[in-house]
Amino acid sequence: MGKTGNGLAYFVAFLLLFGIVVIIAATLFASDLTQAVFVVIITAILFVIPLIIDKNKNAEWIEQVNMDLALNK
């Protein structure tokens, strides 16, 4: 799909993000204030952790993974 062939991947990613937003909204509307605060905090933490890992990734990791994959062939 699309000129670069990534249209389907973007569509699936959009659907997943839309699903997450709908689930969070439903959770927040169906809960009291304390539960809503916990949902927001946990969601923020789970969103930030991959960003921190990506920011601090080691450049040698890809080399190590490629070597491990080559050994397992």
Side-chain angles (χ1 to χ4, degrees), residues 6-47:
N6 292 332
L8 183 60
Y10 284 119
F11 179 71
V12 171
F14 172 77
L15 286 179
L16 290 172
L17 289 173
F18 179 74
I20 290 169
V21 169
V22 169
I23 290 168
I24 290 172
T27 302
L28 292 176
F29 289 132
S31 61
D32 63 0
L33 182 61
T34 305
Q35 291 174 341
V37 169
F38 280 122
V39 168
V40 169
I41 291 171
I42 291 170
T43 302
I45 289 170
L46 292 176
F47 180 77

